Amino acid sequence: MPGPGGCTARTTDEEVTMERLNALSAVNAENELLTCCASRRWAAAVAAGRPYGDLAGLRAASARALAELDWSDVAEALAAHPRIGERAAGQDREAAWSRREQAGVDDAGEATRRALLEGNKAYEERFGHVYLICATGLGAGEMLAALTRRLDNDAETERGVVRAELAKIVDIRLAKLTEEG
């Protein structure tokens, strides 16, 4: 199944450990990493830094690569994220993670779901990209409150917030990928 940027995303349940990630070819390592962050530039930089001794080393390399991304690279990563309140389609690893990350919306009432839908639309009109928040452990009301607050940000401030939220998501997904977290 084509992934971000036309790359082939893995859809198997084959275990990926740090040892296996380190042993993969560059192309296969990048494909694995794209499930954590859909920026091809980020995936290439992190794959090129192998081998990693542990999750902390992998996360440090990820943080350096994220910090060096141009906004177009961040936008590429954002394009792979569904709107808050929308279920990611597909059976691949990234879609499954996204559905679990947004589980806090599952029990939301109709009014909250409608407000999220309207808020997502307003956010996208204002900033030109999907509203990104590290939704893991958050309820729908918390996500909506953050969205409402962030609509008051100027573009530069919001880009900083988006980068921080993306970094949190990537850290969580790297731990899941390597099964060390």
Side-chain angles (χ1 to χ4, degrees):
M1 154 185 263
C7 296
T8 302
R10 288 170 28 93
T11 58
T12 68
D13 291 329
E14 189 173 329
E15 188 173 297
V16 179
T17 61
M18 189 68 67
E19 183 177 316
R20 186 172 181 303
L21 181 65
N22 286 333
L24 290 172
S25 69
V27 169
N28 288 339
E30 287 176 30
N31 285 337
E32 293 290 353
L33 291 164
L34 284 168
T35 65
C36 298
C37 178
S39 163
R40 288 171 292 157
R41 185 169 166 216
W42 173 87
V46 175
R50 293 172 304 141
Y52 298 107
D54 57 18
L55 181 58
L58 177 59
R59 283 179 164 163
S62 169
R64 285 190 300 275
L66 285 169
E68 293 184 8
L69 294 182
D70 294 332
W71 184 253
S72 63
D73 301 311
V74 174
E76 179 182 33
L78 294 175
H81 287 269
R83 289 179 184 93
I84 293 296
E86 292 184 0
R87 302 295 282 177
Q91 299 303 314
D92 64 349
R93 177 189 301 137
E94 186 176 5
W97 285 346
S98 180
R99 287 189 295 272
R100 285 193 299 268
E101 291 162 359
Q102 288 198 37
V105 177
D106 292 349
D107 296 329
E110 185 57 36
T112 301
R113 287 180 178 275
R114 192 172 34 257
L116 279 168
L117 179 68
E118 292 168 6
N120 279 321
K121 182 179 176 185
Y123 183 95
E124 290 173 21
E125 288 173 2
R126 176 152 168 68
F127 296 111
H129 56 80
V130 69
Y131 164 61
L132 186 75
I133 187 168
C134 182
T136 300
L138 298 180
E142 293 168 293
M143 290 181 246
L144 178 58
L147 189 159
T148 302
R149 279 190 310 274
R150 288 171 54 185
L151 280 169
D152 289 334
N153 287 344
D154 61 66
E156 182 180 342
T157 299
E158 186 56 21
R159 283 184 175 193
V161 173
V162 167
R163 284 178 177 273
E165 294 297 316
L166 179 61
K168 289 183 221 174
I169 293 166
V170 172
D171 273 359
I172 290 168
R173 289 182 174 187
L174 286 172
K176 289 177 184 178
L177 178 70
T178 60
E179 301 181 354
E180 290 186 22

